[in-house]
Amino acid sequence: MKSSQDVAIKCSGVTKDYGIGDAKVTALRGINLDVYRGELLILAGPSGCGKTTLISIIGGILKRDAGNCTILGKDLENMNTAERARFRGTSIGFVFQNFNLLSSLTIAENVAVPLLISGEDRKFALQRAGVVLEQVGLSEREDALPSQLSGGQQQRVAIARALVHEPKIIICDEPTSNLDHATGHAMMEILRNVAQAPDRALVVVTHDTRIYEFADRIAYMDDGKIAKVTIETEEVQAK
């Protein structure tokens, strides 16, 4: 039985609207979700159901309209801009669906960015980037530019960048969407090993049913709500 001390991410009654008046669209309708330390949780559901909005709120990219959301016991909306940036830079790793790589930087420099932002020595940051690039099978492309890599290789760089500073929370938006089956499984093995650390948690948004086997739980979203949570073969209906 999990206790409150095991909770890495806690969302309670989280709502989010876009637009106003007749143009208003409700993206989240009172989300209640706990993500535990040492867990890999998959967020699944149809396009437009609110998955990306939810992880954007968890990661401090978007502000919620109502409810509460704490990350490692902290509410990012209670922080000022500098505090929030510092917390995200040390405690949260992102894998964006569109990669968000910097075109003028080499692959190693892209991966080193979170460390450099946190004030780490450039030599150390690049050495650490090299270690993580080796883990994702790209050690021989350290000096390449993003434009010289395939989509799948860029995806692996994005994953390496999310892992380089060893964050406690890792948030992934479709991390295997540009990878073939074998490479996708290899990347999920890496992410799964990271998530199993007792002080870490990993949230993965995906449409890729091939990687469901890596999840500890799967939270299915529909129309801005958590419809159900699957624990292995057991389903827990969301309240």
Side-chain angles (χ1 to χ4, degrees):
M1 178 70 69
K2 298 285 188 180
S3 70
S4 59
Q5 293 182 335
D6 296 317
V7 177
I9 300 168
K10 186 173 188 65
C11 297
S12 303
V14 173
T15 67
K16 179 66 179 178
D17 294 331
Y18 295 104
I20 58 175
D22 293 339
K24 186 172 78 171
V25 175
T26 299
L28 300 179
R29 304 172 184 270
I31 293 289
N32 297 311
L33 181 67
D34 290 347
V35 183
Y36 299 107
R37 299 175 192 270
E39 174 176 52
L40 192 160
L41 178 123
I42 281 180
L43 277 177
S47 297
C49 70
K51 303 186 300 296
T52 298
T53 296
L54 178 56
I55 61 171
S56 296
I57 289 173
I58 290 172
I61 297 172
L62 285 178
K63 288 190 174 183
R64 60 188 183 267
D65 291 330
N68 296 291
C69 187
T70 58
I71 314 300
L72 303 174
K74 300 181 183 296
D75 187 338
L76 273 64
E77 292 194 16
N78 290 338
M79 301 178 184
N80 61 37
T81 301
E83 290 171 336
R84 186 161 54 249
R86 191 179 308 115
F87 181 83
R88 288 173 55 192
T90 58
S91 300
I92 303 177
F94 292 92
V95 179
F96 298 98
Q97 188 172 4
N98 57 355
F99 315 139
N100 286 2
L101 301 180
L102 300 173
S103 61
S104 61
L105 299 184
T106 67
I107 297 311
E109 290 169 336
N110 266 281
V111 173
V113 161
L115 294 174
L116 296 172
I117 289 175
S118 298
E120 292 287 357
D121 175 75
R122 178 178 173 82
K123 182 178 179 180
F124 168 80
L126 290 174
Q127 287 176 340
R128 172 63 185 159
V131 170
V132 183
L133 281 168
E134 185 173 4
Q135 290 179 334
V136 300
L138 286 174
S139 58
E140 77 286 357
R141 304 306 304 272
E142 287 187 21
D143 296 326
L145 295 173
S147 61
Q148 297 172 310
L149 271 59
S150 68
Q153 288 173 324
Q154 290 184 52
Q155 183 76 295
R156 284 188 273 165
V157 174
I159 291 171
R161 183 183 55 194
L163 301 179
V164 72
H165 56 304
E166 300 184 294
K168 304 298 184 186
I169 304 295
I170 301 170
I171 300 170
C172 305
D173 194 0
E174 301 286 358
T176 60
S177 61
N178 289 280
L179 304 179
D180 59 49
H181 180 73
T183 306
H185 266 59
M187 293 303 100
M188 287 306 299
E189 288 281 4
I190 293 171
L191 293 172
R192 179 79 187 109
N193 289 337
V194 169
Q196 284 180 323
D199 60 344
R200 291 203 177 111
L202 178 60
V203 179
V204 177
V205 168
T206 188
H207 289 98
D208 188 354
T209 58
R210 300 173 301 173
I211 67 171
Y212 282 10
E213 66 187 85
F214 293 95
D216 293 295
R217 294 186 300 152
I218 303 174
Y220 293 89
M221 291 188 66
D222 188 30
D223 195 25
K225 298 179 180 180
I226 302 293
K228 63 183 179 182
V229 180
T230 298
I231 305 173
E232 295 179 352
T233 58
E234 176 186 357
E235 290 184 358
V236 179
Q237 297 297 323
K239 293 182 179 180

